[in-house]
Amino acid sequence: MEAGGLPLELWRMILAYLHLPDLGRCSLVCRAWYELILSLDSTRWRQLCLGCTECRHPNWPNQPDVEPESWREAFKQHYLASKTWTKNALDLESSVCFSLFRRRRERRTLSVGPGHEFDSLGSALAMASLYDRIVLFPGVYEEQGEIILKVPVEIVGQGKLGEVALLASIDQHCSTTRLCNLVFMPAWFSPIMYKTTSGHAQFDNCNFENGHIQVHGPGTCQVKFCTFKNTHIFLHNVPLCVLENCEFVGSENNSVTVEGHPSADKNWAYKYLLGLIKSSPTFLPTEDSDFLMSLDLESRDQAWSPKTCDIVIEGSQSPTSPASSSPKPGSKAGSQEAEVGSDGERVAQTPDSSDGGLSPSGEDEDEDQLMYRLSYQVQGPRPVLGGSFLGPPLPGASIQLPSCLVLNSLQQELQKDKEAMALANSVQGCLIRKCLFRDGKGGVFVCSHGRAKMEGNIFRNLTYAVRCIHNSKIIMLRNDIYRCRASGIFLRLEGGGLIAGNNIYHNAEAGVDIRKKSNPLILCNQIHHGLRSGIVVLGNGKGIIRNNQIFSNKEAGIYILYHGNPVVSGNHIFKGRAAGIAVNENGKGLITENVIRENQWGGVDIRRGGIPVLRSNLICFGYSDGVVVGDEGKGLIEGNTIYANKGCGVWMMSSSLPHVTSNHISYNGLYGVAVFSQKDGSSELPRGHRAQENFSEDGDAILWETELEKEDDPLRRPITIALVESNSINHNGASGLYVQSSEALHVITNVIHANGDRGITVAQSSQPTRVANNSISCNRQSGVKVEAQCKVELRGNGIYDNRGHGIITKGDSTIVIENDIIGNRGSGLQLLPRSDTKVIKNRIHSFRAYGIAVRGRAKALVQENIIFQGKTNKTIFQQISNNRECVMQNNKFLVFKKKSDTWRLVNPPARPHLETSLRRPSAAHNGQKVTAMATRITARVEGGYHSNRSVFCTIL
């Protein structure tokens, strides 16, 4: 600066002594002076803001230790807000009838108190004129009758807050009033401290204790920097009220009640309040600011980073490693059997080469003896999430999520959803922002078509934070809700609105409770560390639950029951102490594109009539099963990636009727898919398969059955038999599919590949189990094993290159028809004593053992099969010579002779024939189905239809 050559620091020191009007005049001198005045933000402007008796710290009461971005801007906002009540005077002066009287009357100041002009507030009001200022000096003023405000006045307490107490019941009949720096308490004759029905009331820096405030539409109010102790604010049909920077403490009921639809009639203050709201800083996020929850990092998921979108694999070993792989009941899957076990099952003791290529052959085999080579490639359905989940989980490695599963910021979500953006920007009814609700019963109660918007508030140590009922709508942005003794946010009776960007945690009941046809949009919240569930939807509740982080809750992250039917999409649900999502008691829901990981129970738990649509989710790294379908569970489980869970990929009760289709189920610690009997196995369920406890208010489940919706949902086709269809089940620790069931099951067009035990184990099946058109390959033991007293039909399957037998059966009713059983290290088909098997029209080959081996007194019909030799020193068929119950008819036996000629097996081509067996409901996922196998067989053939000719077979 040029003035006097003084340095800037000295100018700042001089200007720091100026009062507000003088600062304004100096800023008008020139631009240099203007910028100099602005530079006093942390000194003079801070002093003016904190020294004002009409306001408090700009971030009081939630963050009084955090300085605002600009003290000058904070002071400006408060100054403009404090003048709202006088805007009516400007309107009156600009009207036609006042245009003749240009002279402006000066406002008077009336003093009330001992030794002053008036002794009581009532006497001062009797002498007051329009917009006069009444100053109450320190003392206690008790009015014996109701005070009626007939003219606009300003009532201000002198001195510090708390030195002036007013015991009165005030009824405002005038157009506007302002009250500042006062302590209000109710009069002896009425609990109502203040009431207005049409005018505008403004409260600044006041305390209210043990009473009520009532505002009826079209009346409005503006409340800032006030404390309410056990005080209830009742807003009825108000078009607009603003509660800002207030503290609500110790309420015995609701702190704020908003009732009724906003009045269509609006008073003069409505437009000024709306303009003031729009000019103040917004709580909506910018592209550069993402909402992070305000708690210690140690209490968060250390592996979670929404910016990098990686999942870090913790622990020292994969869930499918031998140390953690668990067997079927009564055996050890991790320990390999002898070359020929007690039941005749053969297991190869060679390193794993299960991912295709050349069939496993011992490098020490003599080429003259081993003239058969099998070369093929197995390709299952493409995983919906790309290549990140094709390989085994490596400890300490991070897995990059595909873009469809990355969490968006709130700003990104609002930009995509224009309706949600319009809702977030709207203001109607009551606006509550930057307030603190604590240590009481209720926070905000919105009812009977009421409208309320809450921004940047803290709700703590309440019975509940917000209740929204009877067709009311709420907008909640950036609030903190924690330590509630019941649910944090409660919606019922068709309540709705937008709940976005909130941090909801440590509540005794659900973070958000949705009931009775309520239908909110729940977006980009963090709901965590609840003592029960994160979100509960029941009693025909609906809602859209999108892009939230739900983690570390004691019960299910999302719990759907009693005909609840939400849309759950794009959420990250992790580290819960129960299931990620539980659907019970006839719950529904469309659950799509969520990341559900590291939960203690099942990633998704469906029981007792639950019938959700579970589609395109990533369910991974759970400490139990990926998906649990318990007693009477139903639903469509389609297109999910179920990966690296320590239990089973999918665990089903035989009494349930799910449709499990087009899923990628891999690297789980136990079975890929397990079906257990309700009647015979329910008492000995694997660890972690207990049902979640019932959820119903006051323990009365019948309460919600009275409002059931009888609507047909096209997404849910009724099915009468559990169906496992078109899945890729690979690299799981035990069998790919384990069946111990007393009810019918269909297993169709799956790829079951490279699992740690058998491909399919049928341990119990009193009703028919149909296994059709599956590719079963490269499993560590047999391709299929059927235990005693089981009823199984195997039709149209391709069973290739398994390390044990192709099929081994003890079943009393096993049908093996039109399968390709090729290249397995044990026998192609082994029939054990007391089994009853029909083997018809199969192509059977063993890599180094018998084509068919009949052990003991097995009953069998072997008819019209093509069976060829694997090694020159092995016979094709083995059976006990005196077994008359084994009937052989019209089979072809092909043996080694020479290599010169070729024979192409093209009629039919290699099984499975998936292109003709895909079901229509899964047609949308045709791109994920199994492609055909290419198999090459080179052999010397002797006998059969091609005697004295060499045969070269190519199965296309």
Side-chain angles (χ1 to χ4, degrees):
M1 291 182 65
E2 297 292 336
L6 296 179
L8 289 176
E9 290 76 9
L10 187 56
W11 275 112
R12 292 192 181 101
M13 185 179 298
I14 295 172
L15 294 174
Y17 289 93
L18 298 182
H19 295 286
L20 181 62
D22 297 326
L23 286 174
R25 296 185 187 98
C26 291
S27 65
L28 298 176
V29 173
C30 63
R31 175 163 293 277
W33 280 68
Y34 174 77
E35 294 177 354
L36 180 62
I37 298 300
L38 293 183
S39 69
L40 303 176
D41 189 81
S42 60
T43 54
R44 185 54 180 160
W45 289 111
R46 183 178 185 275
Q47 292 173 0
L48 288 172
C49 191
L50 295 180
C52 179
T53 59
E54 298 182 358
C55 68
R56 307 186 192 185
H57 190 286
N59 291 325
W60 181 89
N62 294 335
Q63 295 177 308
D65 299 329
V66 178
E67 293 196 357
E69 294 183 2
S70 170
W71 287 98
R72 175 183 171 276
E73 185 64 28
F75 186 75
K76 172 186 174 183
Q77 289 295 328
H78 170 70
Y79 180 83
L80 293 176
S82 67
K83 302 302 180 184
T84 303
W85 78 282
T86 62
K87 300 293 184 180
N88 189 36
L90 299 178
D91 290 344
L92 290 175
E93 290 178 359
S94 61
S95 63
V96 175
C97 61
F98 278 88
S99 61
L100 299 176
F101 306 96
R102 296 297 182 184
R103 183 178 178 182
R104 183 174 180 180
R105 188 183 65 82
E106 295 293 332
R107 292 177 58 195
R108 294 187 302 164
T109 299
L110 308 179
S111 301
V112 178
H116 292 275
E117 186 178 357
F118 299 96
D119 293 332
S120 66
L121 176 61
S123 60
L125 288 172
M127 300 300 296
S129 300
L130 294 174
Y131 301 101
D132 282 348
R133 179 184 178 94
I134 299 175
V135 179
L136 301 181
F137 284 83
V140 177
Y141 299 88
E142 182 174 5
E143 300 294 331
Q144 298 301 315
E146 184 179 51
I147 295 178
I148 298 178
L149 298 181
K150 297 181 179 179
V151 294
V153 292
E154 181 181 26
I155 304 173
V156 180
Q158 182 73 19
K160 296 181 179 179
L161 179 62
E163 294 181 355
V164 178
L166 179 60
L167 285 71
S169 178
I170 301 176
D171 189 354
Q172 177 184 337
H173 289 183
C174 57
S175 60
T176 181
T177 295
R178 180 173 184 251
L179 301 102
C180 178
N181 205 38
L182 300 169
V183 176
F184 281 88
M185 289 181 281
W188 62 271
F189 54 86
S190 173
I192 299 175
M193 295 181 288
Y194 199 93
K195 179 174 68 173
T196 183
T197 56
S198 59
H200 173 72
Q202 182 168 336
F203 301 96
D204 290 321
N205 198 33
C206 293
N207 285 359
F208 297 85
E209 299 180 4
N210 304 312
H212 301 285
I213 297 174
Q214 295 183 359
V215 180
H216 296 262
T220 57
C221 72
Q222 180 182 356
V223 185
K224 193 166 185 177
F225 297 118
C226 293
T227 299
F228 298 85
K229 296 180 181 178
N230 191 26
T231 297
H232 177 221
I233 300 178
F234 180 80
L235 307 175
H236 180 74
N237 294 116
V238 293
L240 187 59
C241 283
V242 180
L243 309 179
E244 194 170 12
N245 293 95
C246 295
E247 182 180 26
F248 297 83
V249 185
S251 62
E252 296 179 355
N253 205 327
N254 314 305
S255 294
V256 179
T257 296
V258 182
E259 181 182 78
H261 195 277
S263 172
D265 295 331
K266 299 176 176 61
N267 66 10
W268 66 269
Y270 177 83
K271 63 179 181 180
Y272 293 105
L273 286 177
L274 201 60
L276 187 67
I277 292 169
K278 293 180 178 179
S279 66
S280 60
T282 178
F283 276 81
L284 288 178
T286 61
E287 293 185 6
D288 298 330
S289 62
D290 287 330
F291 183 55
L292 298 176
M293 56 182 186
S294 55
L295 64 150
D296 191 351
L297 288 177
E298 292 182 0
S299 65
R300 298 184 61 185
D301 173 27
Q302 297 295 332
W304 172 247
S305 172
K307 293 185 178 180
T308 60
C309 302
D310 289 347
I311 295 177
V312 177
I313 305 169
E314 299 178 354
S316 59
Q317 63 182 7
S318 164
T320 57
S321 62
S324 61
S325 296
S326 299
K328 66 175 184 178
S331 67
K332 293 184 178 180
S335 60
Q336 294 183 342
E337 301 179 14
E339 186 73 17
V340 179
S342 59
D343 59 359
E345 184 165 7
R346 176 189 178 103
V347 181
Q349 307 290 328
T350 57
D352 187 6
S353 60
S354 59
D355 286 327
L358 287 177
S359 65
S361 60
E363 295 181 0
D364 57 347
E365 295 283 359
D366 185 8
E367 186 68 21
D368 292 334
Q369 291 186 350
L370 182 61
M371 300 303 299
Y372 171 91
R373 287 188 182 276
L374 175 65
S375 178
Y376 67 92
Q377 182 178 3
V378 178
Q379 182 179 357
R382 294 181 180 178
V384 295
L385 302 180
S388 297
F389 301 92
L390 288 174
L394 300 176
S398 62
I399 294 179
Q400 187 75 21
L401 289 177
S403 58
C404 64
L405 294 182
V406 173
L407 280 176
N408 294 323
S409 67
L410 178 56
Q411 178 68 18
Q412 290 171 327
E413 284 294 317
L414 293 178
Q415 287 176 346
K416 291 194 306 182
D417 191 339
K418 300 303 181 184
E419 185 177 349
M421 176 67 85
L423 191 61
N425 287 321
S426 64
V427 179
Q428 197 176 21
C430 179
L431 172 63
I432 305 172
R433 60 181 176 184
K434 295 191 289 186
C435 294
L436 172 62
F437 296 80
R438 63 179 177 89
D439 304 320
K441 181 179 179 181
V444 179
F445 179 48
V446 187
C447 60
S448 302
H449 299 270
R451 300 290 186 270
K453 183 174 184 178
M454 288 154 271
E455 296 180 332
N457 305 287
I458 292 178
F459 300 84
R460 72 169 189 243
N461 299 325
L462 304 167
T463 300
Y464 64 87
V466 178
R467 286 173 68 99
C468 177
I469 67 172
H470 292 299
N471 299 95
S472 298
K473 298 292 184 290
I474 57 174
I475 302 170
M476 298 192 66
L477 301 174
R478 310 292 185 129
N479 302 281
D480 280 75
I481 302 171
Y482 57 98
R483 297 198 185 103
C484 292
R485 294 182 290 276
S487 298
I489 302 173
F490 190 88
L491 301 102
R492 66 184 179 96
L493 297 174
E494 301 187 56
L498 172 66
I499 302 171
N502 302 283
N503 189 16
I504 305 170
Y505 60 100
H506 286 301
N507 297 293
E509 297 287 338
V512 181
D513 190 314
I514 305 169
R515 309 187 184 202
K516 293 189 176 180
K517 299 183 181 181
S518 294
N519 190 18
L521 171 58
I522 302 175
L523 185 67
C524 297
N525 302 280
Q526 290 175 332
I527 305 172
H528 56 98
H529 292 93
L531 300 183
R532 293 196 71 180
S533 298
I535 299 176
V536 170
V537 186
L538 70 159
N540 289 320
K542 298 179 181 179
I544 298 173
I545 304 170
R546 190 171 77 225
N547 214 71
N548 302 279
Q549 294 185 62
I550 304 171
F551 60 97
S552 299
N553 296 288
K554 191 173 182 179
E555 293 186 8
I558 299 176
Y559 204 173
I560 306 169
L561 64 165
Y562 299 123
H563 293 262
N565 191 15
V567 177
V568 182
S569 65
N571 303 281
H572 284 214
I573 305 169
F574 56 97
K575 288 198 171 181
R577 293 170 62 183
I581 299 176
V583 187
N584 291 350
E585 306 294 350
N586 300 305
K588 300 178 183 178
L590 174 60
I591 303 168
T592 178
E593 294 185 351
N594 302 279
V595 177
I596 306 169
R597 63 181 177 92
E598 298 177 86
N599 296 287
Q600 293 289 337
W601 293 7
V604 178
D605 191 298
I606 306 168
R607 301 177 191 265
R608 294 190 289 275
I611 182 169
V613 174
L614 185 66
R615 179 177 291 146
S616 302
N617 302 279
L618 169 60
I619 305 170
C620 62
F621 303 115
Y623 295 100
S624 183
D625 305 315
V627 178
V628 175
V629 187
D631 184 20
E632 299 181 2
K634 300 177 184 179
L636 174 64
I637 303 169
E638 181 179 31
N640 304 282
T641 296
I642 304 171
Y643 176 79
N645 299 283
K646 289 189 176 180
C648 304
V650 178
W651 187 95
M652 298 190 298
M653 295 288 287
S654 64
S655 60
S656 61
L657 294 174
H659 183 181
V660 183
T661 179
S662 304
N663 301 283
H664 190 82
I665 305 169
S666 61
Y667 293 99
N668 298 285
L670 297 178
Y671 310 107
V673 178
V675 183
F676 283 90
S677 172
Q678 176 192 16
K679 297 177 181 178
D680 300 320
S682 59
S683 60
E684 298 181 357
L685 298 180
R687 180 173 143 194
H689 294 105
R690 49 199 176 96
Q692 298 215 18
E693 59 185 279
N694 289 327
F695 184 99
S696 60
E697 189 176 47
D698 301 326
D700 188 6
I702 301 176
L703 205 63
W704 311 113
E705 298 293 343
T706 59
E707 298 185 2
L708 307 184
E709 291 182 336
K710 306 294 185 182
E711 58 182 4
D712 295 328
D713 193 336
L715 294 176
R716 299 173 177 85
R717 296 182 302 108
I719 59 175
T720 58
I721 297 176
L723 179 61
V724 180
E725 176 192 39
S726 303
N727 303 282
S728 175
I729 305 171
N730 62 83
H731 295 93
N732 298 286
S735 297
L737 172 65
Y738 184 88
V739 181
Q740 181 181 316
S741 171
S742 59
E743 299 183 19
L745 173 69
H746 286 183
V747 182
I748 301 173
T749 64
N750 301 282
V751 172
I752 304 173
H753 176 74
N755 295 286
D757 197 354
R758 305 174 189 92
I760 297 177
T761 300
V762 183
Q764 175 186 333
S765 179
S766 57
Q767 296 294 323
T769 295
R770 184 168 181 260
V771 181
N773 294 93
N774 301 280
S775 173
I776 306 168
S777 63
C778 302
N779 296 287
R780 189 174 292 274
Q781 295 190 27
S782 299
V784 180
K785 183 172 183 181
V786 181
E787 295 288 357
Q789 299 180 348
C790 292
K791 298 179 180 180
V792 179
E793 177 187 348
L794 295 160
R795 182 186 294 267
N797 303 285
I799 304 173
Y800 299 98
D801 203 8
N802 297 284
R803 296 194 174 188
H805 306 293
I807 299 174
I808 180 169
T809 177
K810 299 179 185 177
D812 57 4
S813 179
T814 304
I815 299 174
V816 183
I817 183 169
E818 295 181 350
N819 302 279
D820 285 346
I821 309 169
I822 296 175
N824 302 286
R825 296 199 184 182
S827 299
L829 180 62
Q830 185 159 100
L831 312 180
L832 299 181
R834 294 182 295 279
S835 63
D836 185 353
T837 309
K838 294 181 180 179
V839 184
I840 302 172
K841 294 184 180 180
N842 302 280
R843 294 183 292 210
I844 304 172
H845 168 267
S846 171
F847 191 70
R848 54 177 75 176
Y850 304 102
I852 299 179
V854 181
R855 304 286 181 141
R857 296 290 178 180
K859 182 179 180 180
L861 172 62
V862 182
Q863 182 177 356
E864 298 183 22
N865 301 282
I866 299 175
I867 311 170
F868 52 89
Q869 189 180 39
K871 292 176 64 173
T872 56
N873 62 352
K874 286 283 186 181
T875 59
I876 293 178
F877 185 84
Q878 181 193 46
Q879 74 173 102
I880 298 176
S881 59
N882 59 355
N883 185 3
R884 298 181 179 180
E885 295 184 342
C886 182
V887 179
M888 305 284 296
Q889 295 179 350
N890 301 326
N891 298 285
K892 300 178 184 179
F893 295 93
L894 308 179
V895 297
F896 287 129
K897 189 171 182 182
K898 61 181 181 178
K899 304 179 181 179
S900 58
D901 295 336
T902 63
W903 172 48
R904 295 185 179 275
L905 190 65
V906 294
N907 187 23
R911 300 178 178 96
H913 300 154
L914 302 182
E915 66 278 1
T916 60
S917 60
L918 295 179
R919 296 170 56 89
R920 286 186 181 180
S922 300
H925 299 272
N926 284 344
Q928 302 172 2
K929 297 298 187 275
V930 184
T931 59
M933 287 185 185
T935 307
R936 171 172 295 182
I937 303 172
T938 306
R940 269 185 266 173
V941 179
E942 184 177 88
Y945 292 103
H946 298 278
S947 129
N948 299 322
R949 297 177 62 187
S950 64
V951 177
F952 181 79
C953 306
T954 303
I955 304 176
L956 300 176

